[in-house]
Amino acid sequence: EMKKDLSERDESTSSFAEMNYQPLKTASSLTVNFDKQSPAYQFEDGKSYYSALSIPEPRLPRQLKIKSYITPTFSHSASAFVPNFLFLNQDKKLISITKNYRPYTDTDFFLGAYLGGTVVIPAEAAYLVIYTPENGHAWTLDNAPACKLSLELSDTFPADHDFSTVIIRDNVKI
């Protein structure tokens, strides 16, 4: 039903400059719902609900921790919103895209199973747009057009921080 609603929906904006950006705060959790009330945009890889966020000063590298809750949790029709991240400069021009990162699965006692991950935010990024490709899969899960996404922005890192030392967390199923 959500995919049908999204496909029939007109885009809310025609450019990144027209998007309404919500402030993202350091070291606090923000929950974003992607649903019928969310704005939609025609990205290169398909139409998607999106969330547009402004990144606080200073312009130094940061990390963004994400949790994308799987719905419904215990079903053969389970799906997950696997986000892509567009980073924009102060003029709202695209500077980079993060589509490939290493998500892991985990569970939250109250909210259920989720895909988690960490994304590095470039130092020059002033804005962030989160969306999901129209068609895709994460392992054996279908890509969902809607979800609840939890975000947590880290404090800044030194400009020359080596992010290659980040510990990669994988799942092991026994």
Side-chain angles (χ1 to χ4, degrees), residues 24-41:
L24 186 59
K25 296 183 175 129
T26 303
S28 65
S29 186
L30 172 67
T31 300
V32 179
N33 290 309
F34 293 81
D35 56 26
K36 291 180 181 182
Q37 282 71 46
S38 301
Y41 184 79

Side-chain angles (χ1 to χ4, degrees), residues 121-133:
I121 298 177
E124 61 274 14
Y127 299 98
L128 164 65
V129 178
I130 302 171
Y131 75 101
T132 192

Side-chain angles (χ1 to χ4, degrees), residues 29 34 50 63 69 84 87 92 127 133 135 137 145 162:
S29 186
F34 293 81
Y50 71 87
Q63 288 183 335
Y69 292 92
N84 288 350
F87 298 102
K92 297 180 180 154
Y127 299 98
N135 297 305
H137 298 279
D162 180 9

Side-chain angles (χ1 to χ4, degrees), residues 34-165:
F34 293 81
D35 56 26
K36 291 180 181 182
Q37 282 71 46
S38 301
Y41 184 79
Q42 182 66 46
F43 294 92
E44 283 185 12
D45 42 5
K47 191 185 292 185
S48 176
Y49 298 122
Y50 71 87
S51 179
L53 304 164
S54 60
I55 301 167
E57 296 280 345
R59 298 283 174 250
L60 289 169
R62 297 173 183 262
Q63 288 183 335
L64 183 67
K65 290 182 183 177
I66 61 161
K67 291 180 183 178
S68 178
Y69 292 92
I70 297 169
T71 56
T73 306
F74 301 105
S75 169
H76 68 280
S77 63
S79 60
F81 183 95
V82 182
N84 288 350
F85 303 88
L86 302 178
F87 298 102
L88 311 174
N89 65 14
Q90 192 64 41
D91 299 323
K92 297 180 180 154
K93 303 290 183 204
L94 183 64
I95 54 174
S96 70
I97 302 172
T98 300
K99 293 182 179 183
N100 298 316
Y101 53 95
R102 209 156 170 167
Y104 60 89
T105 57
D106 205 341
T107 189
D108 177 295
F109 182 76
F110 295 105
L111 298 173
Y114 65 85
L115 290 178
T118 302
V119 176
V120 175
I121 298 177
E124 61 274 14
Y127 299 98
L128 164 65
V129 178
I130 302 171
Y131 75 101
T132 192
E134 193 167 11
N135 297 305
H137 298 279
W139 304 299
T140 58
L141 296 176
D142 286 333
N143 203 7
C147 85
K148 179 184 289 190
L149 192 67
S150 174
L151 307 169
E152 188 175 322
L153 184 65
S154 74
D155 285 324
T156 60
F157 289 88
D160 60 350
H161 184 76
D162 180 9
F163 285 100
S164 68
T165 61

